[in-house]
Amino acid sequence: MTMMRTSLFSHRTIRQGAISAVGSVKIKLLLACCIGLTLFVLAGRTASFMGWKQHAASLHRSSLPGKGYALLINTWKRNDLLKQSISHYASCPGLASIHIVWSEPDPPSESLLKVLNHIIQLNSKDGREIELKFDINKEDSLNNRFKEITDLKTDAVFSIDDDIIFPCTSVEFAFTVWQSAPDTMVGYVPRIHWVDKSKGNQDTYLYSGWWSVWRTGTYSMILSKAAFFHKKYLSMYTYEMPSSIREYVTKNRNCEDIAMSFLVANATGAPPIWVKGKIFEIGSTGISSLGGHSERRTHCVNWFAYEYGRMPLISTSVKAVDSHSSWFW
């Protein structure tokens, strides 16, 4: 009897030991898989950190249509920033042409034109020829940045200020997002409007900046300082938008970007698309840093809504994120 119990105990011990061994092997295999996956991800990240971006660049090139996009850059007496900005964007694979909105009293010098063309030749890749044009305006008005350009060869316009830089991979991703919704405004700088509940009605609004967007995850505008839109909106801004809005922008030297957001939203009945991207500011602060900026922008929103006879802006919480370059979606 004692021997039988000993035998049963021995078999049970062996079986438990075997189960324990199998469990240990499974745990080790699971850990090995986790370590391998982590190393694989880190290898990809390291390549990106070290500047090994050939694969990403070729991926973007292969997905681009033949026409690409036009860079519409707004500048004012900051030639150093203009050179730096064009030097960067000339290396972006989808760029087809550069149009500089020039509203200074004196025309651009021949030396500046030669330097910019030389910069483009140095930085453009794959033997691409990038057209450079100055769109010269006699009147100094913020409306100039949205004047119709009759000889644009691309449907896509990338509107940018001269003091902001975005990595080319981020620009190309935003371009692909725009291609999926070409009637929509797609960009990096979101803003939001709210119903002003303190007024006791639904027809008065407040303009809110980045911190409100960050806090709520909601936006209704994309600022044109960094945005893609269809070239048809340049013609609509110049000839179809209420002239009173253009007059307001000229008089107050503000809110041309809000006017464009109103125009696109009124035409589409849809919200814009916010694209996540790294922003590098290379210039000094602008009018947004001045006192009373939010109050002036709030007045713009209410004035434009009155001119349209309604509020065309539509709020959304959608954000486009490039999964190739983000840890978290």
Side-chain angles (χ1 to χ4, degrees):
M1 192 71 173
T2 304
M3 291 181 62
M4 184 178 293
R5 289 179 179 174
T6 303
S7 177
L8 289 172
F9 178 78
S10 177
H11 284 302
R12 189 178 295 116
T13 303
I14 292 171
R15 188 163 57 250
Q16 290 175 345
I19 292 172
S20 177
V22 171
S24 177
V25 170
K26 287 183 178 179
I27 292 172
K28 289 180 179 179
L29 285 174
L30 181 60
L31 287 172
C33 289
C34 291
I35 292 171
L37 180 61
T38 301
L39 290 174
F40 176 78
V41 172
L42 286 176
R45 298 293 175 181
T46 303
S48 176
F49 294 151
M50 296 300 291
W52 301 333
K53 299 177 180 177
Q54 292 88 344
H55 173 71
S58 64
L59 177 64
H60 285 302
R61 277 197 296 271
S62 65
S63 64
L64 292 175
K67 294 200 301 182
Y69 53 86
L71 183 73
L72 183 62
I73 185 166
N74 195 51
T75 188
W76 175 262
K77 295 187 177 182
R78 300 195 293 191
N79 289 350
D80 289 341
L81 294 182
L82 182 63
K83 294 172 187 176
Q84 188 175 346
S85 186
I86 288 179
S87 175
H88 168 71
Y89 289 113
S91 65
C92 297
L95 183 64
S97 63
I98 299 173
H99 292 258
I100 301 171
V101 180
W102 190 270
S103 301
E104 297 182 21
D106 298 320
S109 64
E110 285 295 324
S111 60
L112 177 62
L113 184 61
K114 289 181 180 178
V115 168
L116 292 179
N117 274 308
H118 181 63
I119 288 173
I120 292 171
Q121 291 175 0
L122 286 177
N123 291 279
S124 60
K125 298 178 180 178
D126 303 325
R128 291 180 301 120
E129 292 186 4
I130 299 174
E131 182 182 38
L132 173 67
K133 284 194 173 183
F134 281 88
D135 299 323
I136 300 177
N137 300 280
K138 295 180 180 180
E139 179 188 12
D140 176 21
S141 169
L142 292 178
N143 291 312
N144 291 342
R145 77 178 302 164
F146 297 134
K147 277 189 174 180
E148 183 183 24
I149 303 174
T150 56
D151 58 347
L152 270 180
K153 297 181 177 63
T154 64
D155 289 335
V157 174
F158 182 39
S159 173
I160 196 81
D161 282 354
D162 61 3
D163 58 353
I164 297 178
I165 294 289
F166 292 90
C168 285
T169 51
S170 182
V171 175
E172 302 303 318
F173 173 67
F175 179 42
T176 61
V177 173
W178 176 85
Q179 288 176 298
S180 69
D183 288 330
T184 307
M185 210 165 174
V186 175
Y188 303 94
V189 187
R191 295 294 183 264
I192 183 66
H193 77 285
W194 306 103
V195 173
D196 187 357
K197 296 180 180 178
S198 67
K199 302 299 182 181
N201 61 63
Q202 298 294 312
D203 298 325
T204 306
Y205 306 94
L206 294 171
Y207 172 92
S208 291
W210 162 245
W211 290 113
S212 292
V213 175
W214 177 82
R215 180 174 55 84
T216 64
T218 305
Y219 63 98
S220 58
M221 292 170 272
I222 292 294
L223 300 189
S224 56
K225 66 190 296 181
F228 278 94
F229 53 79
H230 197 284
K231 67 178 180 181
K232 65 184 178 182
Y233 292 121
L234 296 177
S235 175
M236 292 174 66
Y237 187 100
T238 304
Y239 301 112
E240 298 180 29
M241 187 178 72
S243 59
S244 57
I245 293 180
R246 290 193 300 275
E247 292 167 3
Y248 181 98
V249 168
T250 298
K251 179 180 178 180
N252 294 277
R253 296 194 60 80
N254 205 331
C255 299
E256 84 287 355
D257 47 0
I258 296 178
M260 178 57 85
S261 286
F262 267 74
L263 173 70
V264 176
N266 186 66
T268 62
I273 301 176
W274 172 21
V275 176
K276 181 181 179 181
K278 293 181 179 178
I279 302 177
F280 298 93
E281 297 187 5
I282 59 176
S284 58
T285 55
I287 61 173
S288 60
S289 62
L290 301 177
H293 177 68
S294 293
E295 290 76 10
R296 286 190 289 271
R297 305 279 276 184
T298 289
H299 191 271
C300 291
V301 169
N302 285 283
W303 181 270
F304 297 166
Y306 173 80
E307 292 298 316
Y308 276 98
R310 66 187 186 93
M311 170 50 73
L313 299 177
I314 298 175
S315 299
T316 182
S317 58
V318 172
K319 180 166 69 171
V321 179
D322 187 355
S323 61
H324 290 96
S325 58
S326 297
W327 284 99
F328 301 103
W329 296 13

